[in-house]
Amino acid sequence: MTGIGGVEMGAQAARSRALAVLRIRSRALAVALLPAAAAVILLVGGSTGHLPGGGWDVLRWVVSVLALCVLLAAAGVALVVARSRPAVTPTVTVAEESAPDLYRMVRDLADRLDVPAPSAIALTPDCDSWLEDRTHPAHGPPPAEKHHDDLAGPGGAAHRRSPTAPVLVIGSPFLWWMRVGELRAVLAPVVAGTGPSAQPDIAAARRFIRGLDAAVAVASAGRRDPLSRVACAGLGWASRLLLRSCRGHAAEMERGVAAAAAERAQAVDYGLRIVAQEQVGLAYAGWDRLLTRVALPAWRMGRWPSRLDVGVVAALTELSRRDRLAEGFASRLGERPACDLLEEPGVMDEAVSLLAARLFHGGPAETGADWSPVGWEEYPEEVVDRTWRTDAARLHRVLDTLGVRRAAEGTAPGTDGPTLARVLDHLTTPDAASTAPLTAGSDAHAAAETQNGPSTPPADPDAARRPADDPGPSRPPYDDSDASRPPVDGPGVSHPAVVDSDASHPAFADSDSSRPPYDDPDASRPPVDDPDAPQPPYGDPGAPHPSYGDHATPVPATPAEDDEDDLADTTARGAALAAGLTAQLAREEAEARPTGARAPSSAPGPAAGPDAALWDDRALPLLPLQPPRTGREILTAHITAMVCCAAMDTAGAAPALDWLDGPSLLFDGARAADLAPSVLSLVETGDPGPLRAWMTELGIRPEKPVRLV
């Protein structure tokens, strides 16, 4: 079914499902009024003398009290459903004066599709586009009427049917990577969804479902006093019951709306839409790698890259060059990029970059001494070099805590600086007995005593080569007069969680972000390979979108027993060191969390800041990027950082940024290779041979002290 017939069929199917949702609302109202109707009948019967007697009097009182309680409960639920704020996506609003060409393109697209134009345009740090209804009173006053008329243009009565149209949310990577024609083709089915949203029955059904979804979030928040807990329990039960009754009809309604929007958009840039969908997948691949490999290390260092969208263009360019994914890439460069539709693309990029840092990492809303922007030209020195030296310093602090000698084997007398040789000698397995895995229930301090002696390290330089069962004379660690270092806590670091999402990322939930829309776990979106396939986000301007976390529930902190299973493949010394590093990272994150978590929504940001007043920013990050790192991964990362520091200080290597892999090490302008297998050999088997051979080939001297942060 194509053309107007397909549009009408999809719209009729969506309207029939919307009426089914409204019938469920009517039935719920009828059930709430049923006790009141029975009470009225009994009262009228008593007043007219048709139901005399004491039994009828008692029944009248019981039914009247029951009716009053039911009416009060129904009124409370209805009030919460009507006043609760639905979920809203954190975005950066684009004013019309800052992007007149973009608004003009969207207006022309809406006129060509014969649908109402969106009321506003906003950017999101994600690879998706959708329509979002922000007409709820809790979202603030609607825009002035003249803005609607201006944006809608000469559309006639069809535009005036929806004086408050939904907001068009565009993924910012699309603006920087796509050409103007490609962006227009991608937005065509999205803008076409404003037509069905103006249908009164569909709009009423969506408002009802959004209200129920918000009411469930309110009930899930919980209260301390018993009366509030009981009220929230009743509210949650009623809201979830209605959501379960509506979810099937709601999902079919959105599919019908999406089908109608897709059919209507077929007449606009049909051939270009197929090419544009390929660019959508490519943009998502580059955006995902840029966030996880490049942006995340900077965020952990307290720096946020201020040009993420420019970075995604560089990453995609490198990806296309390496893998030859875009045969017509050179010809695309001659076309006008979509970011030219913005008057100040740099300001918008900075605002979106800060919003991405808040959503994916939980950073503050404003810059400060511990949270400042960094440009791509400064990234190698300000992020890569600092990250490696910070990790190397942490590695040596944990070695100090474990009682490992500062003067490693083969170093000159009096040398006690931080050296790579100290790490290698400690992790090198002296005999087969030392390769036993860390037993369950042991901690870092106990494992350190197992390897370094029952109390403290050896006193003389030769004692470092004694068997493990000969501790030698006792003295404080490393000739340190202060031997009262605190013991290492057990492992318990918590890291951000990864989300394995697809090309469709809808809105953040404002209270209960892990709950699917309409309480429907099966209402997933269809793939976007076919540009004409029904796609719910294109026709879903107002329904609560699933949160980013719905694609993959954030992974909780790894339990200690899981970490021990991971460390079973390492040596005992490596397991002890990994446990110490994990505990040290946990302490550092706990100390930094109060500062990082303070993100007042009213704090000033860039010139085009995110519309934080519309969403709840008290539970950041809303979309963590990385799962908890295992102990072996933490140990491997710290040893790699120490090797890179030694390479920079003794062999003339330099830190660099790889757009696809993040921090990298350069020797004479070429990227260093084969480092990861050598480090893994040391971590897993205690064999330093491959790593020493690699360092000898490049001229790295492990016995030389390195500079730490």
Side-chain angles (χ1 to χ4, degrees):
M1 180 66 66
T2 58
I4 300 300
V7 175
E8 293 299 329
M9 290 295 294
Q12 290 179 7
R15 184 173 181 271
S16 65
R17 294 294 182 169
L19 291 175
V21 172
L22 296 179
R23 282 195 295 270
I24 292 175
R25 184 184 66 176
S26 300
R27 292 192 192 105
L29 179 60
V31 171
L33 294 177
L34 187 60
V40 169
I41 294 174
L42 292 175
L43 290 174
V44 171
S47 63
T48 58
H50 288 81
L51 301 174
W56 288 107
D57 292 337
V58 173
L59 183 60
R60 272 190 287 271
W61 276 104
V62 171
V63 174
S64 298
V65 172
L66 177 62
L68 180 61
C69 294
V70 171
L71 287 176
L72 290 176
V77 172
L79 184 64
V80 174
V81 170
R83 297 184 61 87
S84 296
R85 185 174 71 171
V88 176
T89 309
T91 56
V92 175
T93 301
V94 181
E96 185 170 1
E97 56 270 15
S98 64
D101 292 342
L102 180 60
Y103 272 76
R104 189 177 302 112
M105 184 192 74
V106 173
R107 182 188 307 124
D108 295 341
L109 192 58
D111 288 340
R112 184 172 176 181
L113 294 170
D114 193 24
V115 296
S119 61
I121 298 176
L123 299 182
T124 179
D126 204 357
C127 293
D128 193 14
S129 297
W130 64 89
L131 294 169
E132 186 166 284
D133 188 358
R134 295 183 178 178
T135 59
H136 193 276
H139 296 156
E145 186 70 22
K146 63 178 181 180
H147 294 301
H148 292 235
D149 294 339
D150 293 342
L151 182 61
H159 291 247
R160 289 192 295 270
R161 284 198 304 266
S162 178
T164 307
V167 175
L168 173 61
V169 181
I170 305 175
S172 63
F174 294 166
L175 282 174
W176 269 260
W177 174 244
M178 291 184 173
R179 308 296 103 176
V180 173
E182 294 170 347
L183 180 65
R184 177 186 173 93
V186 168
L187 294 182
V190 185
V191 176
T194 60
S197 68
Q199 212 282 331
D201 295 328
I202 295 177
R206 283 173 165 171
R207 284 195 300 269
F208 178 59
I209 295 169
R210 286 198 308 272
L212 291 176
D213 190 68
V216 171
V218 172
S220 301
R223 298 294 185 271
R224 291 184 178 181
D225 55 288
L227 183 60
S228 298
R229 285 199 298 269
V230 172
C232 288
L235 172 64
W237 175 83
S239 301
R240 291 186 178 92
L241 178 63
L242 291 174
L243 279 175
R244 284 193 295 269
S245 302
C246 295
R247 63 182 182 182
H249 298 297
E252 292 299 326
M253 178 184 68
E254 298 305 335
R255 291 189 180 99
V257 169
E263 290 289 347
R264 184 180 293 273
Q266 278 189 356
V268 179
D269 302 329
Y270 176 77
L272 189 58
R273 286 174 60 195
I274 299 176
V275 178
Q277 288 296 337
E278 297 176 356
Q279 301 304 321
V280 169
L282 189 62
Y284 178 75
W287 181 250
D288 181 70
R289 296 197 66 155
L290 182 76
L291 291 180
T292 56
R293 305 290 181 89
V294 178
L296 187 58
W299 294 337
R300 286 175 174 167
M301 293 301 299
R303 309 296 297 272
W304 55 277
S306 59
R307 295 293 185 269
L308 279 180
D309 290 305
V310 173
V312 77
V313 176
L316 290 172
T317 303
E318 179 66 15
L319 183 63
S320 300
R321 184 188 66 82
R322 290 185 188 180
D323 299 338
R324 301 178 182 177
L325 294 178
E327 297 179 358
F329 177 73
S331 62
R332 292 180 69 254
L333 293 180
E335 302 174 9
R336 184 188 183 191
C339 62
D340 282 356
L341 299 174
L342 304 174
E343 289 293 309
E344 297 180 348
V347 174
M348 287 295 172
D349 195 359
E350 183 178 0
V352 173
S353 300
L354 180 57
L355 178 59
R358 299 193 65 199
L359 300 181
F360 297 126
H361 186 67
E366 74 283 354
T367 61
D370 298 328
W371 185 247
S372 57
V374 60
W376 293 124
E377 66 280 356
E378 304 168 351
Y379 188 94
E381 291 295 330
E382 295 295 328
V383 176
V384 180
D385 184 84
R386 285 183 56 199
T387 298
W388 285 342
R389 297 190 186 278
T390 300
D391 287 351
R394 184 182 301 110
L395 177 63
H396 281 277
R397 286 198 302 270
V398 174
L399 288 175
D400 292 343
T401 305
L402 294 178
V404 180
R405 294 179 52 83
R406 286 185 179 271
E409 181 180 359
T411 58
T415 301
D416 58 356
T419 64
L420 177 58
R422 179 194 187 194
V423 180
L424 297 179
D425 289 349
H426 174 67
L427 292 178
T428 300
T429 303
D431 49 48
S434 298
T435 62
L438 186 65
T439 58
S442 60
D443 56 12
H445 195 62
E449 291 184 350
T450 302
Q451 296 300 318
N452 297 293
S455 56
T456 54
D460 57 305
D462 295 332
R465 294 181 288 274
R466 288 175 179 162
D469 56 352
D470 184 9
S474 173
R475 75 167 188 177
Y478 342 115
D479 290 314
D480 190 349
S481 58
D482 183 9
S484 60
R485 296 185 175 89
V488 179
D489 295 339
V493 65
S494 177
H495 292 278
V498 71
V499 174
D500 183 16
S501 50
D502 53 18
S504 57
H505 297 278
F508 287 97
D510 101 329
S511 298
D512 189 5
S513 62
S514 63
R515 187 180 62 260
Y518 328 133
D519 201 19
D520 182 10
D522 299 324
S524 58
R525 298 177 178 176
V528 297
D529 296 332
D530 182 5
D532 296 320
Q535 299 176 23
Y538 295 160
D540 189 1
H545 294 271
S547 67
Y548 285 104
D550 287 338
H551 296 282
T553 303
V555 182
T558 304
E561 54 271 16
D562 295 341
D563 203 31
E564 289 171 2
D565 293 340
D566 174 74
L567 295 175
D569 294 333
T570 64
T571 62
R573 290 186 179 183
L577 184 55
L581 289 170
T582 302
Q584 180 66 23
L585 275 171
R587 286 192 293 268
E588 293 177 5
E589 288 188 356
E591 293 173 358
R593 191 172 297 119
T595 302
R598 187 171 60 250
S601 59
S602 60
D611 43 4
L614 297 179
W615 50 281
D616 188 359
D617 62 353
R618 293 172 296 179
L620 296 175
L622 296 178
L623 178 59
L625 286 177
Q626 199 176 53
R629 292 187 294 178
T630 63
R632 183 170 59 175
E633 291 173 344
I634 293 174
L635 177 61
T636 301
H638 283 73
I639 295 176
T640 302
M642 187 63 199
V643 173
C644 293
C645 291
M648 291 187 294
D649 292 348
T650 66
L657 167 62
D658 186 277
W659 291 110
L660 297 177
D661 296 327
S664 60
L665 186 68
L666 296 183
F667 281 93
D668 298 329
R671 200 176 157 190
D674 301 329
L675 175 58
S678 303
V679 173
L680 285 177
S681 177
L682 175 65
V683 170
E684 295 177 353
T685 66
D687 180 15
L691 182 57
R692 289 187 182 275
W694 184 85
M695 292 187 297
T696 301
E697 180 181 356
L698 296 175
I700 301 174
R701 303 185 62 181
E703 73 280 1
K704 293 291 184 179
V706 299
R707 177 173 59 87
L708 303 179
V709 174

